[in-house]
Structures are given as structure tokens and as C-alpha cells.
Amino acid sequence: MKWLVWTGTLCCLALAVVVLAVPQVRFLFFGLPEQRLEGSAVSKAETGSAPVAEATRVQVEQALRDAGLSEKPLLGDISISGHLARLDDGVVTSQQLMEYAEGLRALALRTGDFGRQIPSTFWDVDTDQLRADGWDAYRVVDALASVEGEPYLEALGGAYTRFHAFKLAEMSGGGTDDTALDTALDLFQAAIKLIEIVPPEHMLETSEYIRGREQAALYLWQQLIVGSSRRNPLTHIKLFNHGFTTRFHVGTIWQYETGIALDNSSIWGVSGFAPEFVGPPENNNQVEHMSISMTVQGILREPLLVLEAFEEFETLSGSATAAEAAADDALNAAIQQAFIPGFEDDLPSAVAALREQLHER
């Protein structure tokens, strides 16, 4: 009984500290429901090509096959069989599917130019979030195959090329100096370049909480490496949300290239992190945790006190051990010390400082 009283008291104290002592977090607890980041399609550029002639079902099937789609669904993709079923049901026309196949081929060629080609099956997916935001796979491919879509392809293709090199080295088993930490932080280069060259009015991701190009680059980077969010452990409301582009990250692409469904922890691992930032072996999601902590501290301005309260709550609720919470607290503190103070003035230098702080020596 005393243990229950003590646990209840600690929970109440943690909640009081978070809600009362830190006014800026009140929105996350009691404000309006999360405001989804609204997207709008980039405009379609004129290609100068002639309209695609009406094609037979056999020609459509072959075009989709030549574009690299799978015969049957592998990882939730629509697949050739799915598109043909839509064609038979009158949901799409043969011309739409021929144009879709042409767009997929264009995406494959363009991403191949940046290094590692992104498999067509990655694009061939309709999700609930995609539909909720007013998109589908056809619109996504059409938008990214346009001239204005090239910077997005370069960012995602460049990021995946770097990530793919890390995974190949990791799988070789021959020993490598490359690490998950270095790879994740290197992907800031792709995010920074995209933010620098794309006009704000063409951004698929917008939010009133993102102030300045450095915060925008941080948010895009978080999407590129894991695309995940963090839910408030008390209300279960997402603290931030990438909308339908949440799946546009290197881990998702890796799954479609390998044909194996994996979570971010299994895909990334924790190589490169000093032991104090990892803790027990089961605490294997430190790339994701790092990205979330950097986002909520750098954009939502959550202080360490709040993050520590979250970790305490998860420990008391049994969803994390004390050792896991201690490692997460250490990682949060390192981000606050090395990254947050200077990233809005000099993002590359802040990334370098964080790398030095976290790296295993």
C-alpha cells in the first residue's frame, strides 16, 4: 500500500511540475487538438510530351512491370494486381496508369542520378494519412516527377544514398568506422540544401511553430531519418506530426529495397553512441529518440524539466526501466548542452558539436 501511495505521489508531483511550472507546455496538454501540417501539391510543370494514347490492359500491365512495381503486394504497396483491379473497376483509366508508370520511371532515373535508386515500390503506396491529406500515390508521383519536384527527389535520394552506404558497410561484417550516429547526423546536409533552394510557398510541410530556416531544416531532417513523432504520455496527443510525408524516410525505402518489414530501431541500431547515451541493450532506439528530442527542444521549446518528467512517468508506468530512462535523460541533456544553444545561428557547427558530444570514444 505504501508503494502505491508513493507512486501516486510521484506521478502527481511530476504532472504538477510539467503543467504548472512550465507554462509553455500547457498547449501540449490542454490546448486544441494537434494542428496537422497542411500540404499542397507543387504545380505540374509542362513536359512538352504528347498525350499518352489509349492503351490496352496488357500494355498497361507491362508498363507497370517495366516501371519496377511488384506483381502482388509485398509491404502494403498497391502492386500491379491492385492497379489492374482498379482499372477493371473503372476507378482509374488506362491513360492514368500509363502516365503513372512513366512518372515512376522518371523518379527511378532521377534518384539513380543522385546515387542509389529509390525502388518504385516505395512510391506505390496509399495510406490513411495520405488520403486524409487529400493525396494518393498517383498525385505524389505526378508532383515529384515535375520540375519543381526535383529538389525533393535530390534530398531524399541523396539521404538514401548515404544511408545505403552505411547499411552495406554494416552488413559486410568486415568492420567499419561508419556508424548510425554519423550517418544520421550527415543527413542534415540534404535537409539544409533542400531548405535553401525551395521557395517557402512550395514546401509540402508548413507550421506556425517553425520559425526560421534552421528550424525548418531540423524538422525536415527528423522526417528524413525516421519520420516519427512522440506522443504526450499523459494525453497521447502527438507533439508534432509530419502529415502524409511521415513515411518519406530512409528506413521506409530500405524496407522496400530489402522486402523486409522492420521498425526504426532495428533498421538503425545504436552504433557510434557512447555507452552512457544507450544504457541497456534493449534501449536500441537512440537515433529516433535523438531526433525527437532535438525536435521538441529545438522547435517546441520544451525544457529538460519536461523531458525528465516524461521519462519519470514512463518509468513509473512500467514502459521503461530506470536504466533506459537514465540513458535517455543523458541524451536529452547532451542535446540541450551541445545543440540547442547555437543551432539557429550556425546549424552545421551545432551538428558537429553534438556529434562530438555523443560519439563513442
Side-chain angles (χ1 to χ4, degrees), residues 37-39 203-207 219 223 241-246:
L37 303 179
E38 297 178 355
M203 287 291 175
L204 291 177
E205 302 283 346
T206 58
S207 171
Y219 192 75
Q223 178 209 304
N241 182 9
H242 292 288
F244 77 86
T245 59
T246 188

Side-chain angles (χ1 to χ4, degrees), residues 97-358:
L97 290 180
M98 294 295 283
E99 291 175 346
Y100 180 61
E102 182 62 30
L104 288 171
R105 284 193 290 270
L107 298 191
L109 290 173
R110 291 181 186 177
T111 56
D113 289 341
F114 303 126
R116 184 68 185 179
Q117 187 177 98
I118 294 177
S120 294
T121 48
F122 165 75
W123 309 107
D124 192 42
V125 177
D126 282 343
T127 65
D128 291 340
Q129 183 67 72
L130 200 71
R131 288 185 286 267
D133 285 346
W135 290 74
D136 57 28
Y138 307 121
R139 284 195 65 202
V140 169
V141 169
D142 184 55
L144 291 179
S146 71
V147 173
E148 290 174 323
E150 290 183 7
Y152 295 96
L153 292 179
E154 182 176 359
L156 194 56
Y160 186 63
T161 297
R162 172 66 180 92
F163 174 80
H164 188 269
F166 157 66
K167 293 300 290 184
L168 286 187
E170 180 185 59
M171 295 169 63
S172 68
T176 176
D177 293 332
D178 203 0
T179 68
L181 174 62
D182 287 320
T183 302
L185 294 180
D186 284 351
L187 298 198
F188 261 108
Q189 297 176 13
I192 292 171
K193 184 175 181 180
L194 177 61
I195 294 300
E196 287 177 344
I197 63 178
V198 177
E201 61 269 20
H202 290 165
M203 287 291 175
L204 291 177
E205 302 283 346
T206 58
S207 171
E208 62 184 286
Y209 302 108
I210 296 178
R211 300 168 295 276
R213 301 180 75 81
E214 291 74 21
Q215 286 192 349
L218 168 59
Y219 192 75
L220 175 62
W221 168 79
Q222 204 276 339
Q223 178 209 304
L224 286 175
I225 65 168
V226 290
S228 59
S229 180
R230 179 184 176 109
R231 292 184 182 273
N232 184 302
L234 299 179
T235 65
H236 300 289
I237 292 176
K238 288 183 180 179
L239 303 185
F240 56 91
N241 182 9
H242 292 288
F244 77 86
T245 59
T246 188
R247 63 179 299 275
F248 284 26
H249 64 84
V250 294
T252 308
I253 303 173
W254 177 254
Q255 292 178 73
Y256 281 93
E257 177 154 339
T258 61
I260 302 173
L262 296 169
D263 59 26
N264 286 325
S265 301
S266 302
I267 291 171
W268 277 99
V270 294
S271 60
F273 286 89
E276 62 264 35
F277 304 118
V278 177
E282 59 269 21
N283 199 36
N284 63 347
N285 68 330
Q286 296 310 82
V287 167
E288 185 169 20
H289 181 92
M290 173 181 69
S291 74
I292 291 172
S293 180
M294 291 166 69
T295 301
V296 297
Q297 289 194 65
I299 296 176
L300 299 182
R301 305 299 192 186
E302 283 198 46
L304 278 179
L305 185 63
V306 173
L307 302 185
E308 290 169 357
F310 282 176
E311 296 296 339
E312 182 67 18
F313 179 85
E314 291 183 349
T315 301
L316 293 173
S317 66
S319 59
T321 66
E324 290 174 320
D328 290 348
D329 281 338
L331 181 51
N332 294 335
I335 290 168
Q336 195 280 329
Q337 178 183 358
F339 180 78
I340 298 301
F343 89 95
E344 291 180 277
D345 297 320
D346 188 345
L347 181 54
S349 294
V351 172
L354 181 63
R355 190 193 306 262
E356 175 66 22
Q357 183 85 349
L358 298 180

